[in-house]
Amino acid sequence: MYGLFRLVQMVAADRFRMQVKGLEKLPAQGSYIISSNHQSYLDPILMAAFLPWPVFRDLFSVGTSEIFGSGLMRRVARWLRVIVVDPDANLVPAMRAGAFGLRHGRILILYPEGERSIDGTPRTFKKGAAILSLHLQVPIVPVAIEGFYEVWPRGKRFQKVAPLKVRFGDPIYPPPEATTSEASYEKLTAELKSRVVTMWEGLRARAPEETSPAAPDKPV
C-alpha cells in the first residue's frame, strides 16, 4: 500500500507540480492531529502520499458514509484507514472513533470545516479538533492547501491539471486539560483557523512561476 502511495507522489510531483513544505515540523513521536482546510476529494490522498513512512503507517481518519459508502471511495476509505460513520448521526460516534485511535498512538487527519469548501476558501472551523486535543492532550498540526479546488471543485467533475501546494505549520500544543471549557475550545479553534488561513493566504500570494516541481523537504 505504501508503495502505491509513493507512485501517487511521483505522479503528483510530475503532473501537478505538487509542492509540499514543512514536513520536518511533524512531531517525531506520539499521537497528534493533522488539520487542514478542505478543497476536494484529492486532499487526503495526495497529502498522505507525501508523508514519511513513520507517519503514514499510523494514519487514520473519520469520514461519512455519504462520501465513503460505496464504489471507489469505499476502497479509498480502506487505503486511508477511514472510519466510516453515518452522516445523519450526531458527532459523538465520530469523536469517539477519533479519540480511540489517538489513545492508541495513531495520527488523525481531521478536516475542521467538516466538508469541502464551496469556493476554495476556508470556511467555518468546527471545534472537534480542539475538543480532542484538549481532552487527550495531543497537539494539532495546522496545514494549508491550495490549488485542489481548481483541479476538482465541489459539485463538479475533475476539471484540469494545475499546480498544487501544501504547507505544514508548527504544532499547536493544548493548554492543560484542567483548563478545559467551552471558551478554551473556541480559543484553540480560533488559533487553528488563524494559522491555517495565514498559511493559505501565503500560498495564494505566491505566483505560479515561483513554485518549483514538488519534492518533500527531506527523504521519506
mmCIF file of all heavy atoms in Angstrom, residues 49-93:
data_model
loop_
_atom_site.group_PDB
_atom_site.id
_atom_site.type_symbol
_atom_site.label_atom_id
_atom_site.label_comp_id
_atom_site.label_asym_id
_atom_site.label_seq_id
_atom_site.Cartn_x
_atom_site.Cartn_y
_atom_site.Cartn_z
ATOM 1 N N ALA A 49 0.206 10.823 0.402
ATOM 2 C CA ALA A 49 1.249 10.316 -0.485
ATOM 3 C C ALA A 49 2.610 10.934 -0.194
ATOM 4 O O ALA A 49 3.644 10.334 -0.515
ATOM 5 C CB ALA A 49 0.867 10.578 -1.941
ATOM 6 N N PHE A 50 2.632 12.116 0.414
ATOM 7 C CA PHE A 50 3.897 12.793 0.678
ATOM 8 C C PHE A 50 4.379 12.630 2.117
ATOM 9 O O PHE A 50 5.439 13.146 2.476
ATOM 10 C CB PHE A 50 3.767 14.282 0.341
ATOM 11 C CG PHE A 50 3.880 14.567 -1.133
ATOM 12 C CD1 PHE A 50 2.789 14.386 -1.962
ATOM 13 C CD2 PHE A 50 5.074 14.981 -1.682
ATOM 14 C CE1 PHE A 50 2.873 14.636 -3.327
ATOM 15 C CE2 PHE A 50 5.175 15.228 -3.046
ATOM 16 C CZ PHE A 50 4.075 15.056 -3.873
ATOM 17 N N LEU A 51 3.631 11.919 2.945
ATOM 18 C CA LEU A 51 4.019 11.754 4.337
ATOM 19 C C LEU A 51 5.069 10.651 4.481
ATOM 20 O O LEU A 51 5.019 9.637 3.784
ATOM 21 C CB LEU A 51 2.800 11.414 5.184
ATOM 22 C CG LEU A 51 1.745 12.518 5.294
ATOM 23 C CD1 LEU A 51 0.508 12.009 6.029
ATOM 24 C CD2 LEU A 51 2.310 13.746 6.003
ATOM 25 N N PRO A 52 6.026 10.830 5.375
ATOM 26 C CA PRO A 52 7.037 9.793 5.593
ATOM 27 C C PRO A 52 6.414 8.535 6.198
ATOM 28 O O PRO A 52 5.369 8.599 6.851
ATOM 29 C CB PRO A 52 8.024 10.451 6.555
ATOM 30 C CG PRO A 52 7.255 11.534 7.219
ATOM 31 C CD PRO A 52 6.249 12.022 6.220
ATOM 32 N N TRP A 53 7.070 7.408 5.993
ATOM 33 C CA TRP A 53 6.533 6.121 6.427
ATOM 34 C C TRP A 53 6.129 6.085 7.903
ATOM 35 O O TRP A 53 5.044 5.576 8.226
ATOM 36 C CB TRP A 53 7.529 5.009 6.126
ATOM 37 C CG TRP A 53 7.199 3.711 6.785
ATOM 38 C CD1 TRP A 53 7.913 3.059 7.744
ATOM 39 C CD2 TRP A 53 6.041 2.890 6.556
ATOM 40 N NE1 TRP A 53 7.294 1.900 8.128
ATOM 41 C CE2 TRP A 53 6.137 1.766 7.409
ATOM 42 C CE3 TRP A 53 4.925 3.005 5.708
ATOM 43 C CZ2 TRP A 53 5.169 0.770 7.443
ATOM 44 C CZ3 TRP A 53 3.966 2.013 5.741
ATOM 45 C CH2 TRP A 53 4.084 0.909 6.594
ATOM 46 N N PRO A 54 6.945 6.576 8.850
ATOM 47 C CA PRO A 54 6.528 6.507 10.260
ATOM 48 C C PRO A 54 5.204 7.208 10.537
ATOM 49 O O PRO A 54 4.486 6.843 11.468
ATOM 50 C CB PRO A 54 7.689 7.194 11.000
ATOM 51 C CG PRO A 54 8.859 7.022 10.101
ATOM 52 C CD PRO A 54 8.290 7.159 8.720
ATOM 53 N N VAL A 55 4.878 8.226 9.732
ATOM 54 C CA VAL A 55 3.596 8.918 9.878
ATOM 55 C C VAL A 55 2.505 8.164 9.127
ATOM 56 O O VAL A 55 1.416 7.906 9.659
ATOM 57 C CB VAL A 55 3.689 10.368 9.351
ATOM 58 C CG1 VAL A 55 2.329 11.068 9.439
ATOM 59 C CG2 VAL A 55 4.740 11.148 10.128
ATOM 60 N N PHE A 56 2.789 7.794 7.893
ATOM 61 C CA PHE A 56 1.808 7.112 7.043
ATOM 62 C C PHE A 56 1.260 5.841 7.707
ATOM 63 O O PHE A 56 0.060 5.582 7.660
ATOM 64 C CB PHE A 56 2.454 6.763 5.702
ATOM 65 C CG PHE A 56 1.536 6.084 4.727
ATOM 66 C CD1 PHE A 56 0.750 6.832 3.864
ATOM 67 C CD2 PHE A 56 1.441 4.691 4.686
ATOM 68 C CE1 PHE A 56 -0.107 6.197 2.963
ATOM 69 C CE2 PHE A 56 0.587 4.055 3.796
ATOM 70 C CZ PHE A 56 -0.187 4.817 2.935
ATOM 71 N N ARG A 57 2.130 5.071 8.333
ATOM 72 C CA ARG A 57 1.700 3.785 8.897
ATOM 73 C C ARG A 57 0.724 3.953 10.060
ATOM 74 O O ARG A 57 -0.035 3.032 10.382
ATOM 75 C CB ARG A 57 2.915 2.987 9.370
ATOM 76 C CG ARG A 57 3.603 3.555 10.606
ATOM 77 C CD ARG A 57 4.857 2.836 10.961
ATOM 78 N NE ARG A 57 5.523 3.453 12.106
ATOM 79 C CZ ARG A 57 6.772 3.176 12.482
ATOM 80 N NH1 ARG A 57 7.478 2.278 11.798
ATOM 81 N NH2 ARG A 57 7.299 3.779 13.525
ATOM 82 N N ASP A 58 0.723 5.143 10.694
ATOM 83 C CA ASP A 58 -0.149 5.371 11.845
ATOM 84 C C ASP A 58 -1.347 6.262 11.528
ATOM 85 O O ASP A 58 -2.110 6.626 12.422
ATOM 86 C CB ASP A 58 0.645 6.000 12.996
ATOM 87 C CG ASP A 58 1.590 5.005 13.652
ATOM 88 O OD1 ASP A 58 1.287 3.802 13.629
ATOM 89 O OD2 ASP A 58 2.639 5.442 14.178
ATOM 90 N N LEU A 59 -1.522 6.605 10.258
ATOM 91 C CA LEU A 59 -2.622 7.492 9.877
ATOM 92 C C LEU A 59 -3.990 6.828 10.016
ATOM 93 O O LEU A 59 -4.141 5.642 9.758
ATOM 94 C CB LEU A 59 -2.476 7.936 8.418
ATOM 95 C CG LEU A 59 -1.521 9.067 8.062
ATOM 96 C CD1 LEU A 59 -1.618 9.326 6.559
ATOM 97 C CD2 LEU A 59 -1.818 10.336 8.841
ATOM 98 N N PHE A 60 -4.975 7.620 10.365
ATOM 99 C CA PHE A 60 -6.371 7.206 10.249
ATOM 100 C C PHE A 60 -7.210 8.473 10.177
ATOM 101 O O PHE A 60 -6.730 9.580 10.441
ATOM 102 C CB PHE A 60 -6.803 6.317 11.421
ATOM 103 C CG PHE A 60 -7.146 7.059 12.691
ATOM 104 C CD1 PHE A 60 -8.475 7.217 13.082
ATOM 105 C CD2 PHE A 60 -6.147 7.572 13.512
ATOM 106 C CE1 PHE A 60 -8.794 7.889 14.256
ATOM 107 C CE2 PHE A 60 -6.456 8.241 14.690
ATOM 108 C CZ PHE A 60 -7.792 8.396 15.065
ATOM 109 N N SER A 61 -8.445 8.329 9.783
ATOM 110 C CA SER A 61 -9.353 9.477 9.729
ATOM 111 C C SER A 61 -10.780 8.995 9.918
ATOM 112 O O SER A 61 -11.048 7.788 9.972
ATOM 113 C CB SER A 61 -9.220 10.235 8.398
ATOM 114 O OG SER A 61 -9.497 9.390 7.307
ATOM 115 N N VAL A 62 -11.689 9.931 10.029
ATOM 116 C CA VAL A 62 -13.112 9.637 10.194
ATOM 117 C C VAL A 62 -13.862 10.315 9.058
ATOM 118 O O VAL A 62 -13.651 11.499 8.788
ATOM 119 C CB VAL A 62 -13.640 10.131 11.551
ATOM 120 C CG1 VAL A 62 -15.128 9.829 11.689
ATOM 121 C CG2 VAL A 62 -12.855 9.492 12.700
ATOM 122 N N GLY A 63 -14.723 9.564 8.354
ATOM 123 C CA GLY A 63 -15.485 10.126 7.247
ATOM 124 C C GLY A 63 -16.913 9.614 7.251
ATOM 125 O O GLY A 63 -17.251 8.672 7.979
ATOM 126 N N THR A 64 -17.756 10.227 6.445
ATOM 127 C CA THR A 64 -19.162 9.833 6.420
ATOM 128 C C THR A 64 -19.433 8.815 5.321
ATOM 129 O O THR A 64 -18.761 8.787 4.283
ATOM 130 C CB THR A 64 -20.074 11.056 6.182
ATOM 131 O OG1 THR A 64 -19.883 11.540 4.844
ATOM 132 C CG2 THR A 64 -19.767 12.164 7.178
ATOM 133 N N SER A 65 -20.454 7.997 5.548
ATOM 134 C CA SER A 65 -20.856 7.003 4.552
ATOM 135 C C SER A 65 -21.401 7.679 3.301
ATOM 136 O O SER A 65 -21.450 7.078 2.228
ATOM 137 C CB SER A 65 -21.917 6.058 5.139
ATOM 138 O OG SER A 65 -23.025 6.785 5.632
ATOM 139 N N GLU A 66 -21.800 8.940 3.421
ATOM 140 C CA GLU A 66 -22.281 9.700 2.274
ATOM 141 C C GLU A 66 -21.183 9.841 1.218
ATOM 142 O O GLU A 66 -21.455 9.841 0.015
ATOM 143 C CB GLU A 66 -22.751 11.074 2.738
ATOM 144 C CG GLU A 66 -23.350 11.938 1.634
ATOM 145 C CD GLU A 66 -23.840 13.276 2.162
ATOM 146 O OE1 GLU A 66 -23.262 13.789 3.144
ATOM 147 O OE2 GLU A 66 -24.806 13.809 1.603
ATOM 148 N N ILE A 67 -19.932 9.942 1.681
ATOM 149 C CA ILE A 67 -18.786 10.078 0.773
ATOM 150 C C ILE A 67 -18.083 8.750 0.557
ATOM 151 O O ILE A 67 -17.723 8.394 -0.564
ATOM 152 C CB ILE A 67 -17.789 11.114 1.324
ATOM 153 C CG1 ILE A 67 -18.443 12.498 1.370
ATOM 154 C CG2 ILE A 67 -16.523 11.155 0.475
ATOM 155 C CD1 ILE A 67 -17.564 13.568 1.993
ATOM 156 N N PHE A 68 -17.895 7.997 1.634
ATOM 157 C CA PHE A 68 -17.092 6.778 1.562
ATOM 158 C C PHE A 68 -17.929 5.499 1.598
ATOM 159 O O PHE A 68 -17.427 4.434 1.929
ATOM 160 C CB PHE A 68 -16.092 6.752 2.727
ATOM 161 C CG PHE A 68 -15.066 7.846 2.663
ATOM 162 C CD1 PHE A 68 -15.198 8.991 3.430
ATOM 163 C CD2 PHE A 68 -13.955 7.727 1.836
ATOM 164 C CE1 PHE A 68 -14.249 10.003 3.378
ATOM 165 C CE2 PHE A 68 -12.995 8.726 1.781
ATOM 166 C CZ PHE A 68 -13.148 9.870 2.550
ATOM 167 N N GLY A 69 -19.195 5.610 1.236
ATOM 168 C CA GLY A 69 -20.082 4.472 1.383
ATOM 169 C C GLY A 69 -20.051 3.440 0.280
ATOM 170 O O GLY A 69 -20.487 2.301 0.476
ATOM 171 N N SER A 70 -19.544 3.782 -0.896
ATOM 172 C CA SER A 70 -19.621 2.825 -1.996
ATOM 173 C C SER A 70 -18.560 3.094 -3.051
ATOM 174 O O SER A 70 -17.918 4.152 -3.063
ATOM 175 C CB SER A 70 -21.006 2.885 -2.662
ATOM 176 O OG SER A 70 -21.244 4.177 -3.212
ATOM 177 N N GLY A 71 -18.390 2.129 -3.951
ATOM 178 C CA GLY A 71 -17.525 2.286 -5.111
ATOM 179 C C GLY A 71 -16.078 2.580 -4.779
ATOM 180 O O GLY A 71 -15.510 2.069 -3.806
ATOM 181 N N LEU A 72 -15.479 3.442 -5.593
ATOM 182 C CA LEU A 72 -14.067 3.786 -5.436
ATOM 183 C C LEU A 72 -13.786 4.402 -4.084
ATOM 184 O O LEU A 72 -12.746 4.128 -3.469
ATOM 185 C CB LEU A 72 -13.644 4.754 -6.551
ATOM 186 C CG LEU A 72 -12.215 5.307 -6.463
ATOM 187 C CD1 LEU A 72 -11.200 4.182 -6.544
ATOM 188 C CD2 LEU A 72 -11.979 6.343 -7.552
ATOM 189 N N MET A 73 -14.700 5.237 -3.587
ATOM 190 C CA MET A 73 -14.457 5.915 -2.325
ATOM 191 C C MET A 73 -14.428 4.940 -1.151
ATOM 192 O O MET A 73 -13.729 5.172 -0.169
ATOM 193 C CB MET A 73 -15.500 7.005 -2.093
ATOM 194 C CG MET A 73 -15.444 8.143 -3.108
ATOM 195 S SD MET A 73 -13.782 8.828 -3.342
ATOM 196 C CE MET A 73 -13.498 9.574 -1.741
ATOM 197 N N ARG A 74 -15.158 3.848 -1.238
ATOM 198 C CA ARG A 74 -15.076 2.833 -0.187
ATOM 199 C C ARG A 74 -13.682 2.207 -0.184
ATOM 200 O O ARG A 74 -13.116 1.919 0.867
ATOM 201 C CB ARG A 74 -16.144 1.761 -0.384
ATOM 202 C CG ARG A 74 -16.082 0.638 0.650
ATOM 203 C CD ARG A 74 -17.222 -0.348 0.490
ATOM 204 N NE ARG A 74 -18.485 0.220 0.920
ATOM 205 C CZ ARG A 74 -18.891 0.246 2.189
ATOM 206 N NH1 ARG A 74 -18.123 -0.250 3.137
ATOM 207 N NH2 ARG A 74 -20.058 0.770 2.503
ATOM 208 N N ARG A 75 -13.136 2.019 -1.391
ATOM 209 C CA ARG A 75 -11.782 1.471 -1.488
ATOM 210 C C ARG A 75 -10.763 2.472 -0.939
ATOM 211 O O ARG A 75 -9.826 2.092 -0.230
ATOM 212 C CB ARG A 75 -11.461 1.137 -2.945
ATOM 213 C CG ARG A 75 -10.120 0.458 -3.151
ATOM 214 C CD ARG A 75 -9.952 0.014 -4.593
ATOM 215 N NE ARG A 75 -11.015 -0.906 -4.987
ATOM 216 C CZ ARG A 75 -11.145 -1.373 -6.222
ATOM 217 N NH1 ARG A 75 -10.295 -0.990 -7.173
ATOM 218 N NH2 ARG A 75 -12.109 -2.206 -6.519
ATOM 219 N N VAL A 76 -10.963 3.744 -1.272
ATOM 220 C CA VAL A 76 -10.091 4.786 -0.736
ATOM 221 C C VAL A 76 -10.152 4.801 0.787
ATOM 222 O O VAL A 76 -9.143 4.990 1.467
ATOM 223 C CB VAL A 76 -10.485 6.166 -1.302
ATOM 224 C CG1 VAL A 76 -9.764 7.292 -0.571
ATOM 225 C CG2 VAL A 76 -10.171 6.227 -2.799
ATOM 226 N N ALA A 77 -11.351 4.589 1.337
ATOM 227 C CA ALA A 77 -11.520 4.561 2.791
ATOM 228 C C ALA A 77 -10.652 3.469 3.413
ATOM 229 O O ALA A 77 -10.034 3.675 4.465
ATOM 230 C CB ALA A 77 -12.987 4.347 3.154
ATOM 231 N N ARG A 78 -10.589 2.326 2.778
ATOM 232 C CA ARG A 78 -9.747 1.242 3.296
ATOM 233 C C ARG A 78 -8.276 1.617 3.203
ATOM 234 O O ARG A 78 -7.493 1.369 4.123
ATOM 235 C CB ARG A 78 -10.016 -0.051 2.532
ATOM 236 C CG ARG A 78 -11.381 -0.668 2.797
ATOM 237 C CD ARG A 78 -11.424 -2.125 2.377
ATOM 238 N NE ARG A 78 -11.216 -2.280 0.941
ATOM 239 C CZ ARG A 78 -12.200 -2.289 0.046
ATOM 240 N NH1 ARG A 78 -13.456 -2.141 0.441
ATOM 241 N NH2 ARG A 78 -11.944 -2.447 -1.234
ATOM 242 N N TRP A 79 -7.888 2.230 2.080
ATOM 243 C CA TRP A 79 -6.488 2.621 1.908
ATOM 244 C C TRP A 79 -6.041 3.618 2.972
ATOM 245 O O TRP A 79 -4.930 3.538 3.494
ATOM 246 C CB TRP A 79 -6.294 3.256 0.532
ATOM 247 C CG TRP A 79 -6.420 2.308 -0.617
ATOM 248 C CD1 TRP A 79 -6.380 0.944 -0.576
ATOM 249 C CD2 TRP A 79 -6.616 2.657 -2.000
ATOM 250 N NE1 TRP A 79 -6.539 0.422 -1.836
ATOM 251 C CE2 TRP A 79 -6.678 1.443 -2.734
ATOM 252 C CE3 TRP A 79 -6.729 3.868 -2.681
ATOM 253 C CZ2 TRP A 79 -6.866 1.420 -4.114
ATOM 254 C CZ3 TRP A 79 -6.908 3.845 -4.054
ATOM 255 C CH2 TRP A 79 -6.976 2.632 -4.765
ATOM 256 N N LEU A 80 -6.923 4.571 3.288
ATOM 257 C CA LEU A 80 -6.581 5.637 4.226
ATOM 258 C C LEU A 80 -7.016 5.336 5.658
ATOM 259 O O LEU A 80 -6.915 6.201 6.527
ATOM 260 C CB LEU A 80 -7.215 6.956 3.771
ATOM 261 C CG LEU A 80 -6.737 7.512 2.433
ATOM 262 C CD1 LEU A 80 -7.471 8.798 2.104
ATOM 263 C CD2 LEU A 80 -5.237 7.760 2.451
ATOM 264 N N ARG A 81 -7.497 4.119 5.877
ATOM 265 C CA ARG A 81 -7.988 3.724 7.200
ATOM 266 C C ARG A 81 -9.023 4.736 7.722
ATOM 267 O O ARG A 81 -8.902 5.292 8.817
ATOM 268 C CB ARG A 81 -6.830 3.566 8.177
ATOM 269 C CG ARG A 81 -5.932 2.385 7.857
ATOM 270 C CD ARG A 81 -4.850 2.192 8.883
ATOM 271 N NE ARG A 81 -3.814 3.208 8.772
ATOM 272 C CZ ARG A 81 -2.784 3.150 7.925
ATOM 273 N NH1 ARG A 81 -2.659 2.124 7.122
ATOM 274 N NH2 ARG A 81 -1.885 4.101 7.897
ATOM 275 N N VAL A 82 -10.029 4.980 6.888
ATOM 276 C CA VAL A 82 -11.111 5.887 7.265
ATOM 277 C C VAL A 82 -12.163 5.110 8.045
ATOM 278 O O VAL A 82 -12.658 4.077 7.581
ATOM 279 C CB VAL A 82 -11.765 6.527 6.021
ATOM 280 C CG1 VAL A 82 -12.947 7.406 6.434
ATOM 281 C CG2 VAL A 82 -10.746 7.332 5.237
ATOM 282 N N ILE A 83 -12.502 5.596 9.219
ATOM 283 C CA ILE A 83 -13.594 5.035 9.998
ATOM 284 C C ILE A 83 -14.869 5.700 9.501
ATOM 285 O O ILE A 83 -15.052 6.919 9.651
ATOM 286 C CB ILE A 83 -13.402 5.294 11.501
ATOM 287 C CG1 ILE A 83 -12.083 4.658 11.980
ATOM 288 C CG2 ILE A 83 -14.576 4.741 12.305
ATOM 289 C CD1 ILE A 83 -11.699 5.029 13.386
ATOM 290 N N VAL A 84 -15.750 4.941 8.869
ATOM 291 C CA VAL A 84 -16.939 5.499 8.230
ATOM 292 C C VAL A 84 -18.096 5.562 9.226
ATOM 293 O O VAL A 84 -18.414 4.575 9.888
ATOM 294 C CB VAL A 84 -17.334 4.659 7.000
ATOM 295 C CG1 VAL A 84 -18.566 5.251 6.323
ATOM 296 C CG2 VAL A 84 -16.173 4.585 6.009
ATOM 297 N N VAL A 85 -18.713 6.746 9.335
ATOM 298 C CA VAL A 85 -19.833 6.948 10.249
ATOM 299 C C VAL A 85 -21.044 7.461 9.473
ATOM 300 O O VAL A 85 -20.918 7.976 8.362
ATOM 301 C CB VAL A 85 -19.470 7.933 11.384
ATOM 302 C CG1 VAL A 85 -18.339 7.378 12.233
ATOM 303 C CG2 VAL A 85 -19.101 9.296 10.814
ATOM 304 N N ASP A 86 -22.205 7.341 10.060
ATOM 305 C CA ASP A 86 -23.456 7.786 9.458
ATOM 306 C C ASP A 86 -23.522 9.315 9.473
ATOM 307 O O ASP A 86 -23.422 9.930 10.539
ATOM 308 C CB ASP A 86 -24.632 7.201 10.254
ATOM 309 C CG ASP A 86 -25.994 7.547 9.650
ATOM 310 O OD1 ASP A 86 -26.046 8.395 8.733
ATOM 311 O OD2 ASP A 86 -26.999 6.964 10.096
ATOM 312 N N PRO A 87 -23.710 9.954 8.310
ATOM 313 C CA PRO A 87 -23.751 11.423 8.281
ATOM 314 C C PRO A 87 -24.964 12.005 9.005
ATOM 315 O O PRO A 87 -24.953 13.180 9.383
ATOM 316 C CB PRO A 87 -23.811 11.741 6.778
ATOM 317 C CG PRO A 87 -24.437 10.532 6.168
ATOM 318 C CD PRO A 87 -23.911 9.376 6.974
ATOM 319 N N ASP A 88 -26.000 11.215 9.212
ATOM 320 C CA ASP A 88 -27.198 11.709 9.886
ATOM 321 C C ASP A 88 -27.122 11.565 11.405
ATOM 322 O O ASP A 88 -27.981 12.066 12.126
ATOM 323 C CB ASP A 88 -28.437 10.956 9.375
ATOM 324 C CG ASP A 88 -28.693 11.238 7.902
ATOM 325 O OD1 ASP A 88 -28.477 12.390 7.480
ATOM 326 O OD2 ASP A 88 -29.096 10.306 7.183
ATOM 327 N N ALA A 89 -26.090 10.862 11.871
ATOM 328 C CA ALA A 89 -25.910 10.706 13.317
ATOM 329 C C ALA A 89 -25.262 11.967 13.879
ATOM 330 O O ALA A 89 -24.714 12.799 13.140
ATOM 331 C CB ALA A 89 -25.050 9.488 13.612
ATOM 332 N N ASN A 90 -25.296 12.127 15.198
ATOM 333 C CA ASN A 90 -24.619 13.280 15.787
ATOM 334 C C ASN A 90 -23.104 13.048 15.779
ATOM 335 O O ASN A 90 -22.625 12.015 15.305
ATOM 336 C CB ASN A 90 -25.133 13.545 17.216
ATOM 337 C CG ASN A 90 -24.958 12.337 18.120
ATOM 338 O OD1 ASN A 90 -23.962 11.629 18.046
ATOM 339 N ND2 ASN A 90 -25.925 12.105 18.989
ATOM 340 N N LEU A 91 -22.351 13.997 16.295
ATOM 341 C CA LEU A 91 -20.900 13.926 16.218
ATOM 342 C C LEU A 91 -20.271 12.964 17.216
ATOM 343 O O LEU A 91 -19.080 12.679 17.127
ATOM 344 C CB LEU A 91 -20.307 15.325 16.434
ATOM 345 C CG LEU A 91 -20.531 16.337 15.310
ATOM 346 C CD1 LEU A 91 -19.954 17.684 15.715
ATOM 347 C CD2 LEU A 91 -19.904 15.848 14.016
ATOM 348 N N VAL A 92 -21.055 12.449 18.146
ATOM 349 C CA VAL A 92 -20.488 11.610 19.190
ATOM 350 C C VAL A 92 -19.758 10.381 18.643
ATOM 351 O O VAL A 92 -18.624 10.105 19.043
ATOM 352 C CB VAL A 92 -21.570 11.201 20.214
ATOM 353 C CG1 VAL A 92 -21.010 10.177 21.207
ATOM 354 C CG2 VAL A 92 -22.087 12.429 20.960
ATOM 355 N N PRO A 93 -20.350 9.609 17.704
ATOM 356 C CA PRO A 93 -19.608 8.444 17.173
ATOM 357 C C PRO A 93 -18.288 8.821 16.520
ATOM 358 O O PRO A 93 -17.279 8.134 16.694
ATOM 359 C CB PRO A 93 -20.589 7.855 16.149
ATOM 360 C CG PRO A 93 -21.937 8.301 16.598
ATOM 361 C CD PRO A 93 -21.717 9.678 17.146
#
